[in-house]
Amino acid sequence: MTNPEQQPWSREEFEAQLRGMEKYYHINHPYNVLMNEGKLNKAQIQGWVANRFYYQVSIPRKDANILANCPDRETRQLWAQRILDHDGQPGEPGGIEAWIQLGMAVSLTREEIISEQHVLPGVRFAVDAYVNFARQAEWHEAASSSLTELFAPKIHQQRLDNWPEHYPWIDKDGYAYFRKRLSEARRDVEHGLAITLDWYKTRDQQERMMKILKFKLDVLWTMADAMYMAYINGMPPYFNVGG
């Protein structure tokens, strides 16, 4: 007789399990909590924006890897929009440019943002691990790893609600990225969730998906860990090594 504990979750139960992973989302990381409470200084905000830029410019590469491995034309048609959202197209600058504008709003120059000169090794390693996973994984698994977007609208709205009050020195034009992603993330979730709920049928498969989602949550959390060490603890890489 089959162990009842190993029965597949229903579609509704599976979605609930996925949504329950929000506790591991970087909205709960101490760096983000301090940011949301208005307790970061200018340099700490700048460090966060500069490092997250590396994540932003890597997203289209991640999505291109998924497209390269996906044989389904209808899926590619929908998924390709994610690349356009970030890279932009004629008449629509896209999310990467919007993030550069955020960087300039926090008093970084365009040149130092796009040079990636402030990107910490830990952030680079974490983001590259995500891009490499998308390149090597079966495409359904790579696509479903994007479901940290389930939790993204909340964190974007948090910034829109709190940053203008806590950080009045930030030019309000820099908030375009957060506003843009409110609607885009919800649309992406609908598609990514449909792929996920349709593909993972057995309990073993569903539990593998939970590990995949945890991996992506680990990527985001590890990025914040690296920034906390560098900008909160004052311990950037090689801080104790002489020049």
Side-chain angles (χ1 to χ4, degrees), residues 6-234:
Q6 296 306 312
Q7 289 290 338
W9 289 313
S10 69
R11 194 178 182 89
E12 293 73 23
E13 289 170 330
F14 188 22
E15 181 175 343
Q17 290 286 338
L18 295 170
R19 292 186 181 277
M21 297 291 281
E22 184 175 10
K23 62 187 176 183
Y24 300 115
Y25 191 52
H26 65 134
I27 196 171
N28 298 313
H29 192 283
Y31 203 99
N32 189 77
V33 172
L34 291 171
M35 185 188 302
N36 188 50
E37 293 176 347
K39 295 178 179 177
L40 296 189
N41 61 35
K42 187 173 185 177
Q44 290 164 342
I45 292 286
Q46 289 176 326
W48 180 81
V49 172
N51 276 272
R52 287 282 300 189
F53 177 74
Y54 187 66
Y55 180 78
Q56 303 305 324
V57 296
S58 299
I59 293 299
R61 295 171 51 223
K62 176 268 298 184
D63 288 323
N65 285 330
I66 293 172
L67 288 176
N69 292 327
C70 177
D72 183 70
R73 181 167 65 97
E74 291 183 0
T75 298
R76 293 198 306 269
Q77 288 173 341
L78 293 173
W79 205 271
Q81 182 61 48
R82 296 172 184 242
I83 296 177
L84 298 177
D85 287 343
H86 279 79
D87 280 345
Q89 54 188 315
E92 297 179 26
I96 291 174
E97 178 59 31
W99 197 270
I100 293 172
Q101 293 301 315
L102 173 62
M104 295 169 67
V106 302
S107 303
L108 296 168
T109 67
R110 175 181 289 271
E111 290 71 25
E112 67 182 314
I113 300 164
I114 63 177
S115 72
E116 301 175 6
Q117 68 190 66
H118 299 300
V119 177
L120 298 164
V123 169
R124 192 178 296 275
F125 285 141
V127 174
D128 288 352
Y130 182 39
V131 174
N132 288 331
F133 174 78
R135 180 181 297 118
Q136 297 167 9
E138 195 280 334
W139 77 265
H140 292 90
E141 294 189 349
S144 63
S145 71
S146 71
L147 277 182
T148 49
E149 289 172 326
L150 283 166
F151 322 122
K154 182 177 179 180
I155 205 169
H156 294 319
Q157 190 63 59
Q158 207 178 58
R159 293 163 186 158
L160 289 168
D161 290 342
N162 297 329
W163 279 31
E165 176 186 352
H166 293 319
Y167 309 109
W169 54 271
I170 299 178
D171 188 325
K172 64 181 184 302
D173 291 341
Y175 297 136
Y177 178 87
F178 303 140
R179 290 192 293 269
K180 185 173 184 287
R181 287 304 298 166
L182 282 175
S183 58
E184 290 175 354
R186 291 188 177 100
R187 179 208 65 208
D188 291 347
V189 162
E190 185 177 345
H191 184 214
L193 193 57
I195 290 172
T196 300
L197 297 178
D198 287 343
W199 178 251
Y200 299 91
K201 294 299 188 182
T202 70
R203 182 63 173 271
D204 284 347
Q205 290 170 338
Q206 291 168 338
E207 290 183 349
R208 172 164 173 74
M209 172 50 203
M210 300 297 288
K211 293 178 181 178
I212 291 170
L213 182 56
K214 182 60 164 50
F215 159 73
K216 174 61 186 307
L217 290 162
D218 289 346
V219 166
L220 297 172
W221 195 274
T222 298
M223 291 170 61
D225 279 347
M227 288 183 266
Y228 196 96
M229 285 289 291
Y231 306 127
I232 306 296
N233 288 351

